[in-house]
Amino acid sequence: MRFKTACWLLVLFCAAASLPALLPAQQSQQSDNSAPSSTQSSPEPPSDWQSPQVPAGTRFLVGLLDDINTKTAKPHQQFTVKTLESLDTPDGHAIPAGTVIRGHVSRVEPGSSTGRARIWLSFDEIETRAGWKPLVADVTEVPGEHSVKSGEIKEGEIQARTSASDRDLQAAAAGAALGAAAGAAAKNGKAAAIGAATSALTAFLVSSGLGQELDLAVGTKLELELQRPLYLARR
């Protein structure tokens, strides 16, 4: 009996001796488990100025996907074009050929009312991987279109071509109008003369072709120039 009691006392003594050594380890483990884990916040998406961009001044060709005629076109009328070549950034990103751009007619002057057909086209947005992005660009040329005025186009204005024969026809039209006015004035007075002159001029312009409209058919090529950088979304 005394022997068993001594054994139990020895076991209890050993357990009590090892208890202080176990407590710090358990406390340290609990402390490690309870400490909040430090997580790195995800980086913020790059701002526009950090994103790839096609620089301002870049020129590229597009093709019309809708007919535009100065006789029927109205201000704010929408149209679409597609890029005929890729738009590249200096760091190797690109918008591929065939990308759709939306635009609208900002102003139109029919040839039948002004004698010289003119139209202004504005471009609003381009389709990208990240959705539609704003686009600011002007028409600089209509290559291959003989009915359009040659040379640099200013502020996106497209107008009918002017030639030496046109100027001769305009002078002849003015002379015809004056002659009609003089003849009508001798018979019917001043008011009739003005009306006759206007009618004669209009008839001559129509018959000579000066009042013809600009017809930009589907597939017509336009050269555009970016007026602002075009920012692209990163992959």
Side-chain angles (χ1 to χ4, degrees):
M1 185 68 178
R2 291 178 180 178
F3 177 75
K4 290 183 179 180
T5 303
C7 289
W8 277 108
L9 289 174
L10 181 60
V11 171
L12 291 173
F13 177 79
C14 292
S18 62
L19 184 59
L22 293 173
L23 287 175
Q26 292 177 351
Q27 292 174 353
S28 175
Q29 184 176 4
Q30 291 175 356
S31 176
D32 291 342
N33 292 336
S34 62
S37 60
S38 60
T39 56
Q40 293 182 351
S41 59
S42 58
E44 295 182 358
S47 59
D48 276 350
W49 65 268
Q50 294 174 314
S51 300
Q53 57 177 280
V54 182
T58 299
R59 294 193 176 192
F60 58 100
L61 288 176
V62 300
L64 278 173
L65 298 178
D66 302 287
D67 288 320
I68 302 177
N69 188 286
T70 51
K71 183 177 181 179
T72 58
K74 304 295 182 184
H76 310 299
Q77 176 180 319
Q78 295 183 337
F79 63 87
T80 55
V81 301
K82 67 176 180 179
T83 58
L84 300 180
E85 51 194 341
S86 64
L87 280 73
D88 303 320
T89 69
D91 57 356
H93 293 75
I95 293 180
T99 299
V100 176
I101 296 175
R102 293 172 178 166
H104 70 276
V105 175
S106 54
R107 182 181 170 188
V108 60
E109 294 181 359
S112 57
S113 60
T114 63
R116 180 73 60 197
R118 298 192 296 177
I119 194 168
W120 287 258
L121 304 180
S122 297
F123 298 87
D124 305 316
E125 52 187 358
I126 184 170
E127 188 176 21
T128 69
R129 294 189 305 272
W132 292 92
K133 295 293 184 181
L135 177 77
V136 182
D138 284 340
V139 179
T140 57
E141 191 178 349
V142 187
E145 184 59 47
H146 299 293
S147 63
V148 176
K149 178 182 178 182
S150 60
E152 193 77 5
I153 295 177
K154 296 181 179 180
E155 299 180 353
E157 174 194 344
I158 304 173
Q159 62 174 289
R161 178 186 295 271
T162 301
S163 64
S165 60
D166 286 341
R167 290 191 292 270
D168 293 341
L169 287 173
Q170 287 174 339
L178 289 176
K187 296 181 179 180
N188 304 316
K190 183 176 181 181
I194 295 176
T198 304
S199 300
L201 177 58
T202 302
F204 193 92
L205 288 175
V206 172
S207 64
S208 66
L210 280 176
Q212 291 181 351
E213 306 295 342
L214 276 174
D215 185 21
L216 304 177
V218 171
T220 299
K221 296 180 179 65
L222 307 174
E223 183 186 66
L224 307 187
E225 180 179 354
L226 289 179
Q227 301 302 311
R228 297 287 187 276
L230 176 59
Y231 296 100
L232 310 184
R234 293 183 182 273
R235 292 184 182 274

